Amino acid sequence: MDFSSNGKYLATCADDRTIRIWSTKDFLQREHRSMRANVELDHATLVRFSPDCRAFIVWLANGDTLRVFKMTKREDGGYTFTATPEDFPKKHKAPVIDIGIANTGKFIMTASSDTTVLIWSLKGQVLSTINTNQMNNTHAAVSPCGRFVASCGFTPDVKVWEVCFGKKGEFQEVVRAFELKGHSAAVHSFAFSNDSRRMASVSKDGTWKLWDTDVEYKKKQDPYLLKTGRFEEAAGAAPCRLALSPNAQVLALASGSSIHLYNTRRGEKEECFERVHGECIANLSFDITGRFLASCGDRAVRLFHNTPGHRAMVEEMQGHLKRACNESTRQRLQQQLTQAQETLKSLGALKK
């Protein structure tokens, strides 16, 4: 599944040969309507919105390739979905595990379970082939800022590359940017915060880590480790999923069919949801506002209120209030604090 960058839609794909586009404004309603796009003679395993939200790309299970769907708005407010005439050429030699589009619209990334990450132009031409040297890839992603591509796998690190373009927008090269080093076993997964200045990782060593990646890597500056937390479930054989809230204050970890939520500043577990799905959780994602966490793993998407996020906001505002110097700042902070407390109260999650 994937949230659109404008926050209006959630796209999901399944084995039933459909992609469904859900409206996020219906999330709190009883009825959840969706628009359906059909995948002819195949089904999609991965889906990603384009930055302008006028198209989405999918990875085809049988076709082993990328297909682009254009979204055209109809007069009645709905959308017509049309697949472009030609799919991307087949280039991967192993199953594809992740796809992504840079928010700059300059490139598409595909990663397979061997050690290959491909950088494509939007027209389907391979611009660069990255060998991650990680024995095998378990996860890969494009950073929200659109500059970086990162991957993790059998080795105990996360590798990050910069995809470089010239002043006229022409592709130049892919260069190693930095690495997240500190785990002692294979890394299951990682995620970026919305501003790409923070990253989180979870490893088979039974820990998660939060990193400050706002560094001048060209001057050989390494990312800073901000926090390490325990997550024993990650040491097992089951795959682990990870999502970081847009502001990096909450970390969601999924193992098997359970979801655990952590406050990243304190490193403490705040919530645990068990047996959320009938099968292993396949995907975990916060929406663009950070109000909701979505998970999928069977025939349904489950939505959760991000209560630890509201609590983190309360703690942050209380801290700012103590240090606030002038009255107008105080009033603004008090307003935000009250709002966060009211939200928690309405969700029945205000801790005494």
Side-chain angles (χ1 to χ4, degrees), residues 263-320:
N263 174 304
T264 56
R265 193 176 58 78
R266 286 185 274 104
E268 292 168 12
K269 188 190 288 193
E270 292 229 349
E271 305 276 355
C272 178
F273 303 102
E274 293 184 340
R275 293 185 290 282
V276 174
H277 292 277
E279 296 164 36
C280 273
I281 290 165
N283 208 305
L284 203 57
S285 180
F286 284 94
D287 79 316
I288 211 80
T289 65
R291 283 170 60 210
F292 301 107
L293 173 70
S295 71
C296 62
D298 41 31
R299 292 179 180 185
V301 173
R302 305 254 186 265
L303 285 165
F304 301 88
H305 291 282
N306 179 14
T307 49
H310 294 299
R311 283 193 207 113
M313 174 69 84
V314 167
E315 285 174 26
E316 191 180 19
M317 291 307 140
Q318 284 170 337
H320 287 327

Side-chain angles (χ1 to χ4, degrees), residues 116-128:
T116 309
V117 174
L118 295 181
I119 305 297
W120 305 75
S121 74
L122 268 61
K123 291 196 165 64
Q125 175 194 0
V126 174
L127 300 173
S128 183

Side-chain angles (χ1 to χ4, degrees), residues 90-295:
K90 290 186 185 183
K91 294 287 181 184
H92 283 280
K93 294 182 176 68
V96 163
I97 54 162
D98 278 302
I99 61 175
I101 311 184
N103 76 342
T104 52
K106 287 180 179 173
F107 69 89
I108 287 171
M109 179 274 313
T110 57
S112 47
S113 62
D114 48 13
T115 60
T116 309
V117 174
L118 295 181
I119 305 297
W120 305 75
S121 74
L122 268 61
K123 291 196 165 64
Q125 175 194 0
V126 174
L127 300 173
S128 183
T129 303
I130 302 168
N131 178 0
T132 63
N133 290 315
Q134 289 172 316
M135 305 274 282
N136 65 342
N137 299 334
T138 52
H139 181 57
V142 180
S143 63
C145 64
R147 280 176 64 194
F148 303 109
V149 164
S151 81
C152 67
F154 187 73
T155 55
D157 50 20
V158 178
K159 292 180 180 173
V160 185
W161 292 264
E162 183 175 5
V163 184
C164 306
F165 289 84
K167 288 203 170 92
K168 291 175 184 166
E170 76 286 2
F171 171 75
Q172 288 182 328
E173 60 177 345
V174 174
V175 294
R176 278 287 278 281
F178 54 85
E179 291 177 13
L180 305 182
K181 290 181 185 166
H183 285 294
S184 58
V187 177
H188 284 290
S189 191
F190 65 86
F192 290 91
S193 64
N194 210 26
D195 61 5
S196 305
R197 294 163 126 174
R198 297 282 184 273
M199 284 179 76
S201 56
V202 62
S203 160
K204 280 196 170 178
D205 63 13
T207 69
W208 60 262
K209 291 180 185 291
L210 181 73
W211 311 82
D212 179 347
T213 51
D214 189 15
V215 294
E216 292 192 46
Y217 65 88
K218 284 174 182 166
K219 294 180 180 172
K220 299 282 185 279
Q221 205 178 4
D222 287 324
Y224 300 100
L225 177 63
L226 297 172
K227 202 82 189 168
T228 298
R230 295 296 306 164
F231 184 58
E232 302 295 346
E233 289 84 346
C240 240
R241 302 279 169 190
L242 176 151
L244 188 60
S245 66
N247 60 11
Q249 289 183 338
V250 181
L251 178 66
L253 292 164
S255 174
S257 61
S258 299
I259 297 172
H260 308 258
L261 295 174
Y262 288 81
N263 174 304
T264 56
R265 193 176 58 78
R266 286 185 274 104
E268 292 168 12
K269 188 190 288 193
E270 292 229 349
E271 305 276 355
C272 178
F273 303 102
E274 293 184 340
R275 293 185 290 282
V276 174
H277 292 277
E279 296 164 36
C280 273
I281 290 165
N283 208 305
L284 203 57
S285 180
F286 284 94
D287 79 316
I288 211 80
T289 65
R291 283 170 60 210
F292 301 107
L293 173 70
S295 71

Side-chain angles (χ1 to χ4, degrees), residues 13-19 39-47 57-67 69 87 90 92 94-97 99:
C13 61
D15 298 356
D16 62 5
R17 297 186 170 180
T18 68
I19 291 119
V39 185
E40 296 298 321
L41 307 173
D42 210 328
H43 71 268
T45 56
L46 299 159
V47 61
I57 58 170
V58 299
W59 186 261
L60 300 177
N62 304 325
D64 265 342
T65 182
L66 270 181
R67 181 171 291 173
F69 282 84
D87 295 333
K90 290 186 185 183
H92 283 280
V96 163
I97 54 162
I99 61 175

